[in-house]
PDB file of all heavy atoms in Angstrom:
ATOM      1  N   GLY V   1     -47.405-119.836  68.028  1.00 74.00           N
ATOM      2  CA  GLY V   1     -46.575-120.977  68.381  1.00 74.00           C
ATOM      3  C   GLY V   1     -46.280-121.865  67.187  1.00 74.00           C
ATOM      4  O   GLY V   1     -45.122-122.239  66.945  1.00 74.00           O
ATOM      5  N   PHE V   2     -47.332-122.196  66.421  1.00 67.00           N
ATOM      6  CA  PHE V   2     -47.125-123.032  65.240  1.00 67.00           C
ATOM      7  C   PHE V   2     -46.297-122.316  64.190  1.00 67.00           C
ATOM      8  O   PHE V   2     -45.472-122.942  63.503  1.00 67.00           O
ATOM      9  CB  PHE V   2     -48.471-123.457  64.651  1.00 67.00           C
ATOM     10  CG  PHE V   2     -49.024-124.697  65.272  1.00 67.00           C
ATOM     11  CD1 PHE V   2     -50.014-124.636  66.240  1.00 67.00           C
ATOM     12  CD2 PHE V   2     -48.561-125.945  64.891  1.00 67.00           C
ATOM     13  CE1 PHE V   2     -50.525-125.787  66.824  1.00 67.00           C
ATOM     14  CE2 PHE V   2     -49.062-127.103  65.458  1.00 67.00           C
ATOM     15  CZ  PHE V   2     -50.045-127.018  66.431  1.00 67.00           C
ATOM     16  N   ALA V   3     -46.499-121.014  64.042  1.00 69.00           N
ATOM     17  CA  ALA V   3     -45.696-120.258  63.077  1.00 69.00           C
ATOM     18  C   ALA V   3     -44.223-120.286  63.462  1.00 69.00           C
ATOM     19  O   ALA V   3     -43.338-120.381  62.602  1.00 69.00           O
ATOM     20  CB  ALA V   3     -46.195-118.815  63.005  1.00 69.00           C
ATOM     21  N   HIS V   4     -43.942-120.229  64.769  1.00 69.00           N
ATOM     22  CA  HIS V   4     -42.552-120.274  65.227  1.00 69.00           C
ATOM     23  C   HIS V   4     -41.939-121.661  65.000  1.00 69.00           C
ATOM     24  O   HIS V   4     -40.746-121.781  64.705  1.00 69.00           O
ATOM     25  CB  HIS V   4     -42.489-119.908  66.707  1.00 69.00           C
ATOM     26  CG  HIS V   4     -41.095-119.920  67.275  1.00 69.00           C
ATOM     27  ND1 HIS V   4     -40.162-118.960  66.957  1.00 69.00           N
ATOM     28  CD2 HIS V   4     -40.481-120.788  68.124  1.00 69.00           C
ATOM     29  CE1 HIS V   4     -39.030-119.230  67.595  1.00 69.00           C
ATOM     30  NE2 HIS V   4     -39.201-120.324  68.307  1.00 69.00           N
ATOM     31  N   LEU V   5     -42.768-122.711  65.127  1.00 68.00           N
ATOM     32  CA  LEU V   5     -42.250-124.069  64.998  1.00 68.00           C
ATOM     33  C   LEU V   5     -42.028-124.477  63.547  1.00 68.00           C
ATOM     34  O   LEU V   5     -40.989-125.051  63.204  1.00 68.00           O
ATOM     35  CB  LEU V   5     -43.203-125.059  65.676  1.00 68.00           C
ATOM     36  CG  LEU V   5     -43.260-125.021  67.207  1.00 68.00           C
ATOM     37  CD1 LEU V   5     -44.341-125.962  67.721  1.00 68.00           C
ATOM     38  CD2 LEU V   5     -41.898-125.416  67.795  1.00 68.00           C
ATOM     39  N   ILE V   6     -43.002-124.191  62.684  1.00 63.00           N
ATOM     40  CA  ILE V   6     -42.936-124.709  61.313  1.00 63.00           C
ATOM     41  C   ILE V   6     -42.412-123.686  60.311  1.00 63.00           C
ATOM     42  O   ILE V   6     -42.132-124.037  59.164  1.00 63.00           O
ATOM     43  CB  ILE V   6     -44.312-125.224  60.852  1.00 63.00           C
ATOM     44  CG1 ILE V   6     -45.318-124.061  60.743  1.00 63.00           C
ATOM     45  CG2 ILE V   6     -44.838-126.284  61.793  1.00 63.00           C
ATOM     46  CD1 ILE V   6     -46.682-124.485  60.228  1.00 63.00           C
ATOM     47  N   ASN V   7     -42.291-122.415  60.735  1.00 65.00           N
ATOM     48  CA  ASN V   7     -41.763-121.366  59.843  1.00 65.00           C
ATOM     49  C   ASN V   7     -42.462-121.360  58.486  1.00 65.00           C
ATOM     50  O   ASN V   7     -41.861-121.689  57.462  1.00 65.00           O
ATOM     51  CB  ASN V   7     -40.259-121.545  59.635  1.00 65.00           C
ATOM     52  CG  ASN V   7     -39.475-121.314  60.913  1.00 65.00           C
ATOM     53  OD1 ASN V   7     -39.801-120.412  61.687  1.00 65.00           O
ATOM     54  ND2 ASN V   7     -38.445-122.111  61.144  1.00 65.00           N
ATOM     55  N   PRO V   8     -43.750-121.023  58.432  1.00 63.00           N
ATOM     56  CA  PRO V   8     -44.444-121.020  57.135  1.00 63.00           C
ATOM     57  C   PRO V   8     -43.833-120.001  56.188  1.00 63.00           C
ATOM     58  O   PRO V   8     -43.466-118.898  56.585  1.00 63.00           O
ATOM     59  CB  PRO V   8     -45.885-120.633  57.507  1.00 63.00           C
ATOM     60  CG  PRO V   8     -45.761-119.898  58.805  1.00 63.00           C
ATOM     61  CD  PRO V   8     -44.613-120.539  59.522  1.00 63.00           C
ATOM     62  N   GLY V   9     -43.729-120.389  54.934  1.00 61.00           N
ATOM     63  CA  GLY V   9     -43.156-119.503  53.923  1.00 61.00           C
ATOM     64  C   GLY V   9     -41.717-119.806  53.597  1.00 61.00           C
ATOM     65  O   GLY V   9     -41.190-119.319  52.583  1.00 61.00           O
ATOM     66  N   VAL V  10     -41.063-120.635  54.438  1.00 60.00           N
ATOM     67  CA  VAL V  10     -39.675-120.982  54.160  1.00 60.00           C
ATOM     68  C   VAL V  10     -39.621-121.830  52.885  1.00 60.00           C
ATOM     69  O   VAL V  10     -40.339-122.810  52.742  1.00 60.00           O
ATOM     70  CB  VAL V  10     -39.061-121.758  55.343  1.00 60.00           C
ATOM     71  CG1 VAL V  10     -37.667-122.258  54.982  1.00 60.00           C
ATOM     72  CG2 VAL V  10     -39.004-120.874  56.565  1.00 60.00           C
ATOM     73  N   GLY V  11     -38.780-121.455  51.966  1.00 57.00           N
ATOM     74  CA  GLY V  11     -38.651-122.179  50.705  1.00 57.00           C
ATOM     75  C   GLY V  11     -39.469-121.593  49.574  1.00 57.00           C
ATOM     76  O   GLY V  11     -39.315-121.990  48.420  1.00 57.00           O
ATOM     77  N   LEU V  12     -40.348-120.615  49.885  1.00 54.00           N
ATOM     78  CA  LEU V  12     -41.152-120.025  48.825  1.00 54.00           C
ATOM     79  C   LEU V  12     -40.321-119.171  47.879  1.00 54.00           C
ATOM     80  O   LEU V  12     -40.760-118.854  46.777  1.00 54.00           O
ATOM     81  CB  LEU V  12     -42.266-119.162  49.435  1.00 54.00           C
ATOM     82  CG  LEU V  12     -43.397-119.916  50.154  1.00 54.00           C
ATOM     83  CD1 LEU V  12     -44.415-118.935  50.692  1.00 54.00           C
ATOM     84  CD2 LEU V  12     -44.068-120.898  49.209  1.00 54.00           C
ATOM     85  N   ALA V  13     -39.115-118.792  48.322  1.00 56.00           N
ATOM     86  CA  ALA V  13     -38.263-117.977  47.455  1.00 56.00           C
ATOM     87  C   ALA V  13     -37.876-118.732  46.195  1.00 56.00           C
ATOM     88  O   ALA V  13     -37.544-118.121  45.172  1.00 56.00           O
ATOM     89  CB  ALA V  13     -37.007-117.541  48.211  1.00 56.00           C
ATOM     90  N   ASP V  14     -37.914-120.056  46.252  1.00 56.00           N
ATOM     91  CA  ASP V  14     -37.533-120.859  45.087  1.00 56.00           C
ATOM     92  C   ASP V  14     -38.694-121.093  44.134  1.00 56.00           C
ATOM     93  O   ASP V  14     -38.509-121.671  43.065  1.00 56.00           O
ATOM     94  CB  ASP V  14     -36.982-122.218  45.542  1.00 56.00           C
ATOM     95  CG  ASP V  14     -35.731-122.056  46.409  1.00 56.00           C
ATOM     96  OD1 ASP V  14     -34.976-121.092  46.170  1.00 56.00           O
ATOM     97  OD2 ASP V  14     -35.526-122.905  47.305  1.00 56.00           O
ATOM     98  N   LEU V  15     -39.917-120.654  44.528  1.00 54.00           N
ATOM     99  CA  LEU V  15     -41.083-120.870  43.695  1.00 54.00           C
ATOM    100  C   LEU V  15     -41.271-119.690  42.740  1.00 54.00           C
ATOM    101  O   LEU V  15     -40.884-118.556  43.053  1.00 54.00           O
ATOM    102  CB  LEU V  15     -42.340-121.043  44.561  1.00 54.00           C
ATOM    103  CG  LEU V  15     -42.329-122.244  45.506  1.00 54.00           C
ATOM    104  CD1 LEU V  15     -43.619-122.288  46.312  1.00 54.00           C
ATOM    105  CD2 LEU V  15     -42.152-123.552  44.736  1.00 54.00           C
ATOM    106  N   PRO V  16     -41.889-119.936  41.581  1.00 54.00           N
ATOM    107  CA  PRO V  16     -42.079-118.851  40.603  1.00 54.00           C
ATOM    108  C   PRO V  16     -43.210-117.916  41.010  1.00 54.00           C
ATOM    109  O   PRO V  16     -44.299-117.928  40.429  1.00 54.00           O
ATOM    110  CB  PRO V  16     -42.406-119.619  39.313  1.00 54.00           C
ATOM    111  CG  PRO V  16     -43.058-120.873  39.784  1.00 54.00           C
ATOM    112  CD  PRO V  16     -42.354-121.242  41.066  1.00 54.00           C
ATOM    113  N   LEU V  17     -42.966-117.099  42.002  1.00 53.00           N
ATOM    114  CA  LEU V  17     -43.977-116.164  42.476  1.00 53.00           C
ATOM    115  C   LEU V  17     -43.810-114.820  41.787  1.00 53.00           C
ATOM    116  O   LEU V  17     -42.717-114.456  41.346  1.00 53.00           O
ATOM    117  CB  LEU V  17     -43.856-115.987  43.994  1.00 53.00           C
ATOM    118  CG  LEU V  17     -44.041-117.253  44.832  1.00 53.00           C
ATOM    119  CD1 LEU V  17     -43.829-116.933  46.302  1.00 53.00           C
ATOM    120  CD2 LEU V  17     -45.415-117.855  44.623  1.00 53.00           C
ATOM    121  N   GLY V  18     -44.886-114.066  41.706  1.00 56.00           N
ATOM    122  CA  GLY V  18     -44.823-112.734  41.136  1.00 56.00           C
ATOM    123  C   GLY V  18     -44.276-111.736  42.141  1.00 56.00           C
ATOM    124  O   GLY V  18     -43.845-112.089  43.241  1.00 56.00           O
ATOM    125  N   GLU V  19     -44.322-110.495  41.766  1.00 63.00           N
ATOM    126  CA  GLU V  19     -43.829-109.442  42.648  1.00 63.00           C
ATOM    127  C   GLU V  19     -44.729-109.307  43.863  1.00 63.00           C
ATOM    128  O   GLU V  19     -45.957-109.240  43.735  1.00 63.00           O
ATOM    129  CB  GLU V  19     -43.775-108.111  41.895  1.00 63.00           C
ATOM    130  CG  GLU V  19     -43.203-106.973  42.719  1.00 63.00           C
ATOM    131  CD  GLU V  19     -43.197-105.663  41.942  1.00 63.00           C
ATOM    132  OE1 GLU V  19     -43.558-105.700  40.747  1.00 63.00           O
ATOM    133  OE2 GLU V  19     -42.847-104.631  42.530  1.00 63.00           O
ATOM    134  N   VAL V  20     -44.133-109.281  45.028  1.00 60.00           N
ATOM    135  CA  VAL V  20     -44.880-109.194  46.277  1.00 60.00           C
ATOM    136  C   VAL V  20     -44.731-107.790  46.839  1.00 60.00           C
ATOM    137  O   VAL V  20     -43.616-107.302  47.022  1.00 60.00           O
ATOM    138  CB  VAL V  20     -44.376-110.231  47.307  1.00 60.00           C
ATOM    139  CG1 VAL V  20     -45.146-110.091  48.619  1.00 60.00           C
ATOM    140  CG2 VAL V  20     -44.525-111.636  46.746  1.00 60.00           C
ATOM    141  N   LYS V  21     -45.853-107.130  47.084  1.00 68.00           N
ATOM    142  CA  LYS V  21     -45.850-105.791  47.641  1.00 68.00           C
ATOM    143  C   LYS V  21     -46.187-105.845  49.124  1.00 68.00           C
ATOM    144  O   LYS V  21     -47.122-106.546  49.528  1.00 68.00           O
ATOM    145  CB  LYS V  21     -46.856-104.897  46.914  1.00 68.00           C
ATOM    146  CG  LYS V  21     -46.537-104.679  45.442  1.00 68.00           C
ATOM    147  CD  LYS V  21     -47.552-103.761  44.793  1.00 68.00           C
ATOM    148  CE  LYS V  21     -47.220-103.536  43.322  1.00 68.00           C
ATOM    149  NZ  LYS V  21     -48.219-102.638  42.661  1.00 68.00           N
ATOM    150  N   ALA V  22     -45.434-105.127  49.907  1.00 64.00           N
ATOM    151  CA  ALA V  22     -45.673-105.097  51.347  1.00 64.00           C
ATOM    152  C   ALA V  22     -46.983-104.380  51.637  1.00 64.00           C
ATOM    153  O   ALA V  22     -47.273-103.318  51.063  1.00 64.00           O
ATOM    154  CB  ALA V  22     -44.519-104.397  52.060  1.00 64.00           C
ATOM    155  N   ARG V  23     -47.790-104.958  52.525  1.00 69.00           N
ATOM    156  CA  ARG V  23     -49.063-104.355  52.884  1.00 69.00           C
ATOM    157  C   ARG V  23     -48.880-103.355  54.015  1.00 69.00           C
ATOM    158  O   ARG V  23     -48.076-103.546  54.916  1.00 69.00           O
ATOM    159  CB  ARG V  23     -50.068-105.428  53.311  1.00 69.00           C
ATOM    160  CG  ARG V  23     -50.472-106.373  52.200  1.00 69.00           C
ATOM    161  CD  ARG V  23     -51.567-107.305  52.649  1.00 69.00           C
ATOM    162  NE  ARG V  23     -52.735-106.565  53.076  1.00 69.00           N
ATOM    163  CZ  ARG V  23     -53.821-107.147  53.597  1.00 69.00           C
ATOM    164  NH1 ARG V  23     -53.859-108.457  53.755  1.00 69.00           N
ATOM    165  NH2 ARG V  23     -54.853-106.430  53.966  1.00 69.00           N
ATOM    166  N   GLU V  24     -49.659-102.296  53.952  1.00 74.00           N
ATOM    167  CA  GLU V  24     -49.613-101.294  55.009  1.00 74.00           C
ATOM    168  C   GLU V  24     -50.425-101.783  56.200  1.00 74.00           C
ATOM    169  O   GLU V  24     -51.603-102.132  56.066  1.00 74.00           O
ATOM    170  CB  GLU V  24     -50.168 -99.970  54.496  1.00 74.00           C
ATOM    171  CG  GLU V  24     -50.127 -98.856  55.531  1.00 74.00           C
ATOM    172  CD  GLU V  24     -50.712 -97.565  55.005  1.00 74.00           C
ATOM    173  OE1 GLU V  24     -51.030 -97.512  53.796  1.00 74.00           O
ATOM    174  OE2 GLU V  24     -50.863 -96.623  55.808  1.00 74.00           O
ATOM    175  N   ILE V  25     -49.792-101.833  57.363  1.00 71.00           N
ATOM    176  CA  ILE V  25     -50.458-102.314  58.574  1.00 71.00           C
ATOM    177  C   ILE V  25     -51.294-101.183  59.168  1.00 71.00           C
ATOM    178  O   ILE V  25     -50.766-100.110  59.478  1.00 71.00           O
ATOM    179  CB  ILE V  25     -49.428-102.812  59.605  1.00 71.00           C
ATOM    180  CG1 ILE V  25     -48.600-103.947  58.999  1.00 71.00           C
ATOM    181  CG2 ILE V  25     -50.126-103.271  60.879  1.00 71.00           C
ATOM    182  CD1 ILE V  25     -47.513-104.452  59.905  1.00 71.00           C
ATOM    183  N   PRO V  26     -52.607-101.377  59.317  1.00 70.00           N
ATOM    184  CA  PRO V  26     -53.450-100.305  59.860  1.00 70.00           C
ATOM    185  C   PRO V  26     -53.198-100.102  61.349  1.00 70.00           C
ATOM    186  O   PRO V  26     -52.780-101.008  62.063  1.00 70.00           O
ATOM    187  CB  PRO V  26     -54.874-100.813  59.602  1.00 70.00           C
ATOM    188  CG  PRO V  26     -54.744-102.302  59.572  1.00 70.00           C
ATOM    189  CD  PRO V  26     -53.381-102.577  58.971  1.00 70.00           C
ATOM    190  N   THR V  27     -53.479 -98.909  61.812  1.00 74.00           N
ATOM    191  CA  THR V  27     -53.348 -98.594  63.232  1.00 74.00           C
ATOM    192  C   THR V  27     -54.532 -99.188  63.991  1.00 74.00           C
ATOM    193  O   THR V  27     -55.572 -99.500  63.389  1.00 74.00           O
ATOM    194  CB  THR V  27     -53.307 -97.076  63.443  1.00 74.00           C
ATOM    195  OG1 THR V  27     -54.571 -96.518  63.018  1.00 74.00           O
ATOM    196  CG2 THR V  27     -52.181 -96.444  62.644  1.00 74.00           C
ATOM    197  N   PRO V  28     -54.407 -99.364  65.314  1.00 72.00           N
ATOM    198  CA  PRO V  28     -55.545 -99.880  66.095  1.00 72.00           C
ATOM    199  C   PRO V  28     -56.809 -99.046  65.925  1.00 72.00           C
ATOM    200  O   PRO V  28     -57.922 -99.595  65.885  1.00 72.00           O
ATOM    201  CB  PRO V  28     -55.020 -99.823  67.536  1.00 72.00           C
ATOM    202  CG  PRO V  28     -53.538 -99.956  67.395  1.00 72.00           C
ATOM    203  CD  PRO V  28     -53.195 -99.230  66.129  1.00 72.00           C
ATOM    204  N   LEU V  29     -56.666 -97.712  65.817  1.00 76.00           N
ATOM    205  CA  LEU V  29     -57.836 -96.852  65.619  1.00 76.00           C
ATOM    206  C   LEU V  29     -58.500 -97.137  64.281  1.00 76.00           C
ATOM    207  O   LEU V  29     -59.736 -97.193  64.189  1.00 76.00           O
ATOM    208  CB  LEU V  29     -57.426 -95.381  65.710  1.00 76.00           C
ATOM    209  CG  LEU V  29     -58.566 -94.363  65.510  1.00 76.00           C
ATOM    210  CD1 LEU V  29     -59.648 -94.569  66.553  1.00 76.00           C
ATOM    211  CD2 LEU V  29     -58.018 -92.939  65.538  1.00 76.00           C
ATOM    212  N   GLN V  30     -57.690 -97.318  63.244  1.00 78.00           N
ATOM    213  CA  GLN V  30     -58.251 -97.636  61.932  1.00 78.00           C
ATOM    214  C   GLN V  30     -58.977 -98.967  61.938  1.00 78.00           C
ATOM    215  O   GLN V  30     -60.010 -99.123  61.274  1.00 78.00           O
ATOM    216  CB  GLN V  30     -57.135 -97.643  60.885  1.00 78.00           C
ATOM    217  CG  GLN V  30     -56.552 -96.278  60.569  1.00 78.00           C
ATOM    218  CD  GLN V  30     -55.374 -96.348  59.627  1.00 78.00           C
ATOM    219  OE1 GLN V  30     -54.619 -97.333  59.627  1.00 78.00           O
ATOM    220  NE2 GLN V  30     -55.184 -95.320  58.798  1.00 78.00           N
ATOM    221  N   VAL V  31     -58.444 -99.931  62.691  1.00 73.00           N
ATOM    222  CA  VAL V  31     -59.093-101.240  62.795  1.00 73.00           C
ATOM    223  C   VAL V  31     -60.456-101.098  63.465  1.00 73.00           C
ATOM    224  O   VAL V  31     -61.461-101.672  63.014  1.00 73.00           O
ATOM    225  CB  VAL V  31     -58.206-102.225  63.582  1.00 73.00           C
ATOM    226  CG1 VAL V  31     -58.957-103.525  63.827  1.00 73.00           C
ATOM    227  CG2 VAL V  31     -56.916-102.496  62.825  1.00 73.00           C
TER     228      VAL V  31
END
């Protein structure tokens, strides 16, 4: 709910961040 309201991460595109790699989401069995 809070993530939907405040949209965390909005505006970070303007910050000097390094390369971001997408993380692999584990399956429920792996968890």
Side-chain angles (χ1 to χ4, degrees):
F2 273 100
H4 180 72
L5 289 175
I6 66 177
N7 294 321
V10 173
L12 290 180
D14 299 328
L15 298 179
L17 300 177
E19 183 181 355
V20 178
K21 297 181 179 180
R23 294 186 59 184
E24 181 181 353
I25 301 177
T27 64
L29 180 59
Q30 290 175 329
V31 173

